[in-house]
Amino acid sequence: MPTLRILDSLSDPGNAGRRNEDTTGSNASCAFVIDGATGLGGKPLIDATSDAAWLAVFAAQAFEAEIGMTNPIADVVRNVNMRVQQRIVEATAGDTLETWALPTASFQLARMEGRELAVYGLGDCRLFLAGADGTAFETNGDYSKAESEGARRAVAQAGGLAAWRSLADEPVVREALRRSRARHNQPGGAVWTLGSAPDAAAHLSVRRLPPTCPHADFCVPTVFPRWPTNTGDMTARG
C-alpha cells in the first residue's frame, strides 16, 4: 500500500520580531500544515503573545496524536474545536467576544487511504501535487485567487509593504479584516476554520485522488498563502 514519507519542511515567520503562527506536522498516517490567523488588534485570550501560534501548535499536537489510518478527520476536527472552545470559555470567564477576536487557523492535510490520496482542509490553505508524468493538481485555487487579490488591494491601501510592520496594523486594512473574519464560522457562511466552532467539522473540503492518478513517485508540496508576513511549506513524497 502506498505511504507518505516526509522529505523536508520549512516554515518562516517572515519577521524576526514575531512568533511563527504556522506549523507543519505528520505521523504514520498523514502530513499537514496549519496556518494560524494573526490576531487583529484585540487582547490575546489564551497566549500572552499570539493566540494564533498557540492554536497552530495545539491543533498540530492533536492531529499527530489522534489521526490514524482510517478514523474520520471530521471527528478529530470537531474534537479539536470543542477543546479550543472550552479553553476560550475558561480564559474569558464566559464573556461575550467579538467574533473577529476569536483565534482561528486554516489547515491542509493529506492522508493515504488504501491506494487513494485523500486531501482534507479548512480555510485558505492550498495544496499542489506534481505527478511523475508532469501532470498537476491543486486544491482551493478559487479561494486563494480571491485572497491574493484582497492582499494586493491591502498592499496598495497601506502604501506598500515597507510602510507597516504588518498590514493588519494599518487602520483601514485592519477594519476590513475584522469585518471579513467576523463572517467566518457562521451559519450559511463560506469560510470555516479550525478554532472554536465545532460545526466547522461538517464543512471540511475533501478531495480524493483515485488510483488513476499517477501512481509512480508523486510529490505533494503543501503551500499556504498568507498576508505577506508569514510563509511556509511542507513537502511529502508518496
Side-chain angles (χ1 to χ4, degrees):
M1 183 178 73
T3 60
L4 292 174
R5 178 166 58 92
I6 305 301
L7 298 181
D8 202 358
S9 65
L10 171 68
S11 186
D12 186 341
N15 186 316
R18 296 181 56 198
R19 285 184 62 184
N20 193 343
E21 295 174 330
D22 306 328
T23 190
T24 67
S26 64
N27 63 18
S29 306
C30 67
F32 58 85
V33 293
I34 298 176
D35 175 9
T38 301
L40 297 177
K43 180 181 178 181
L45 306 175
I46 300 173
D47 187 285
T49 57
S50 172
D51 287 335
W54 171 83
L55 175 58
V57 172
F58 178 85
Q61 292 173 341
F63 281 6
E64 289 181 335
E66 298 174 19
I67 293 176
M69 294 289 187
T70 60
N71 61 321
I73 303 299
D75 289 352
V76 178
V77 169
R78 185 177 296 105
N79 183 47
V80 167
N81 283 12
M82 288 176 64
R83 289 155 64 190
V84 172
Q85 183 184 66
Q86 183 59 37
R87 286 291 298 273
I88 291 173
V89 170
E90 293 169 354
T92 62
D95 290 345
T96 301
L97 301 170
E98 295 285 355
T99 308
W100 54 259
L102 297 171
T104 66
S106 301
F107 84 93
Q108 189 92 169
L109 179 146
R111 179 171 72 172
M112 294 305 306
E113 298 182 357
R115 296 196 61 82
E116 293 183 334
L117 179 72
V119 181
Y120 300 85
L122 285 173
D124 63 359
C125 291
R126 191 174 180 185
L127 178 143
F128 300 88
L129 184 147
D133 63 355
T135 58
F137 168 82
E138 64 181 276
T139 65
N140 224 7
D142 291 341
Y143 186 103
S144 296
K145 290 174 183 176
E147 185 182 63
S148 295
E149 180 57 35
R152 282 191 289 269
R153 290 195 300 268
V155 171
Q157 173 69 46
L161 292 176
W164 297 87
R165 179 182 175 187
S166 169
L167 285 177
D169 292 336
E170 199 279 330
V172 174
V173 173
R174 182 174 62 242
E175 289 309 309
L177 288 172
R178 286 178 174 180
R179 290 193 299 271
S180 176
R181 195 171 297 176
R183 295 191 291 268
H184 293 184
N185 301 306
Q186 298 299 309
V191 181
W192 294 82
T193 68
L194 291 173
S196 55
D199 288 348
H203 298 271
L204 279 174
S205 169
V206 183
R207 299 287 297 273
R208 297 181 187 279
L209 302 184
T212 54
C213 179
H215 53 272
D217 279 357
F218 58 78
C219 191
V220 187
T222 306
V223 182
F224 38 91
R226 299 244 336 150
W227 295 97
T229 57
N230 212 336
T231 60
D233 70 67
M234 175 180 63
T235 300
R237 184 172 297 279

